[in-house]
Amino acid sequence: MKKIVIDPITRIEGHMAVETFLEGGKVKEAKSSGTLFRGFEIILKNRDPRDAARITQRICGVCPAIHAYTSALCLDDAFAIKDKIPHNARVIRNLILGSNFLQSHILHFYHLSIPDYVDLGKVVGKVAPFTPAYEGDFRLSDEVNAHLATHYLQALDIRRICQEMLAVFGGKMPHNVGIIAGGATLIPSVDRINDFKGKLKEIRDFVDNAVLPDVLTVAKAYRDYFEIGKGCGSFLSYGGFVLDEGRFLKSGIVNSDRQFEELDPENIAEQVKHSWYADSESGKNPSLEETIPSPEKEGSYSFIKSPRYKEKVYEVGPLARLMVNYFTRQEEITRVAEPLLKELGLQIEEVPSVMGRHLSRAVECKVLVEAMSTWVEELVPGEPVYTEVEIPEEGEGYGLAEAPRGSCGHWIKITDKKIARYQVITPTAWNASPRDDKGVPGPIEQALIGTEIKDEGNPFEVVRIVRAFDPCLACAVHLIDTKGKDLGKYRIA
Amino acid sequence: MSEEYPVVWFQGAGCTGCSVSLLNSASLKFKDILLDEIVPGKKLNLRFHPTVMAGQGEMIINVLRDTKEEKKGEYILIVEGAVPTLNNGIFGAVGEKTILERVLELGKNAFITVAVGNCAAYGGIPAAKPNPTGCKSVKRVFEENGIDTLVVNLPGCPPHPDWMVGTLSVALRGLPLDLDEIGRPRLFYGKTIHENCERRAYFDKGKFAQKFGEEGCLYELGCKGPYTSADCPLREWNNGVNWVIGAGSPCLGCVEPEFPDNTSPFYRKLSWEEMKNEKNCN
Ligand code: SF4
């Protein structure tokens, strides 16, 4: 079997390597591997529980806001105040998280993904960091190619403005200080509201005039990528953006037979048979689980664990949210998604794929700029944003929310007013997970398997599939195997 | 033709937040930094940056190798993230070698090293107790391995983009960097937050907020501004939109070597002695 190793995979968050084994020009086996461990769950122990909303943000600088958000939900739960969060605070939290979604999605499409579809070197010249790069499969006409390259540069400004919009209530970005257990820190003023709105308008124009048309342009030129990287076909969402009643983006699961089911968090468990962790912890719900590394364990090849729902593999992320909200007929989503599907001549069943994941992100950008324009008007100037918290002697809680990259969960146990246990399951742990106890590969691995690699010297298909998931490896990864494993370099053997 | 200064931006044990902060630069925009001269006649040539570069895999590992050999003594090394050292650094690797090996070999041949973010400068979050991967600062691993390349520390979690762009501009203009005793340019880290804070008048009058959202100085809510040196209150963040204390949150002390262990609990008032009693520099 031929082997292609790509290490490092760039234009993602964190450190990642991918190994694929080819037979007859097709991927027969695939392994994704993270290459950095920082041990957040260990670092969090014995700290003041409130600090978790600050420290967990440092898991990922590209989308830290979701960790502040999920952690705050988790702490609100453990402090028994989750029904007492003031309306203003709930709105501010959503505006902060929404800003992060927009920056993350725009960054992902233009700066992390477009270099795989648009020949930037042709426009800006063969200069670093646009060269070296894979060669060959650039299909856009010179004119369209140049147009999208201009948007690459314009999007640098727009994503910056997303960060500035976040900072209006978040104080700074990356790593906001505005979301805390009990609510938020800043009472909104008319001035701040206007500042936020002005920025949102500019972003909204860009979404309408660039993001949506550009994604369609790329999708039409690379139509075959609706057939590539289909993945596991089952989708899960915790539900995103807490409203006074329920959630804006619905929670639930859609199985490969397209049946919708309500979500019950009790059914989430992490398996570790192929991960470097003690088997005694396999199959446990995160509220009970300890992280016990076991780097010598036979048959393991990753330190990412395998989160599973009812012991089955699920993809999370914008595509999963699109599927869940489409099948539950969430109107804000279908209204945006349906015309786009029509223009591409696609049925919803045909969306799961590399291009479908990019399309889902564009849908979400549009849905969010519209929703946030409404939410910001719900803020009441001068009204409180905070409910006093009291740290209990003993307590437990969890928070589930949706990150730009998918479902994010935090679980806490408090003893003596301190953190006794903290577990995080990040979206990328779902998507980049290794084989589970039954030997079933994770979603990214499944998306790679069966793919035809046209040019082994420039394996575009592999990197396009991996990046379409927008993996965030710093989030997912727990250790690295340097012993004897050939994760070293990109080569063809 | 402008003179080009090769730059290698290397990521260790970090979160990419410093890179994202650089992307947020609003004085000189990121595209100006990439494509234009940043001081007259001189431009940066960002040869290696894992988050933005087009290439991947072996082709970019070759960029590291070539820069290190062909541009010996000429390139600027920027390190984001701490350096895991436990068990010879097996907790982090990039393209077949550990982060430790790469930082050492890149550092040895660099003209200057800039440690961006608290992790690279002082160990930061990954080095927080119990420091599960033995993370250390860049300066520390240089010292332990006899590397004498100058290290400029630009702490912050993340650092303000102006501090990064400003420091590079000072260096390219050939002006003195004027570093303090913990390696930070005084230009940006010369005064405490407390000295220039917009809530200082409240502090002086003894009006302290007791609850989030209240008017007043945030000292009782845990503000570390009196012990923290940076120009956030004057510069503000994200194009001057707001800043930590402006958003009603206490300062977390993220530019200090004591961050995060001795500047936390973040929401509890700590005395100078509590924060400074045990040097926590990794
Ligand atoms: S808020 Fe912090 S920095 Fe500002 S005056 Fe009070 S203690 Fe000093």
Side-chain angles (χ1 to χ4, degrees), chain A residues 8 10-11 13 15 35 37-38 47 54 58 61 129 132 157 159 163-164 168 172-173 185 467 479-480 488 490, chain B residues 11-12 14-16 23-24 29 31 50 53-58 90-91 93 95 157 238-239 242 247 261 267:
Chain A
T10 49
R11 284 180 280 124
E13 199 290 310
H15 298 275
T35 54
F37 168 71
R38 286 173 295 166
R47 290 178 191 269
R54 301 280 76 75
R58 273 70 182 181
D157 286 331
R159 64 145 296 285
Q163 303 279 78
E164 291 164 6
V168 170
K172 80 189 222 292
M173 183 66 184
T185 56
R467 284 203 190 96
L479 268 178
I480 176 205
Y490 161 58
Chain B
Q11 294 174 335
C15 71
T16 314
L23 286 172
N24 290 347
K29 309 281 192 296
K31 63 169 176 269
M53 66 198 304
Q56 52 240 313
E58 190 182 32
I90 70 152
F91 292 94
C157 191
N238 301 95
N239 206 3
N242 207 346
D261 286 341
Y267 303 108

Side-chain angles (χ1 to χ4, degrees), chain B residues 215-264:
Chain B
E215 248 183 275
C217 162
L218 302 170
Y219 189 60
E220 297 285 332
L221 292 176
C223 186
K224 311 299 184 290
Y227 324 129
T228 303
S229 295
D231 63 9
C232 305
L234 303 176
R235 192 175 295 281
E236 303 199 56
W237 276 70
N238 301 95
N239 206 3
V241 165
N242 207 346
W243 69 297
V244 169
I245 290 170
S249 162
C251 164
L252 311 183
C254 72
V255 294
E256 298 300 323
E258 291 79 8
F259 175 83
D261 286 341
N262 283 18
T263 71
S264 62

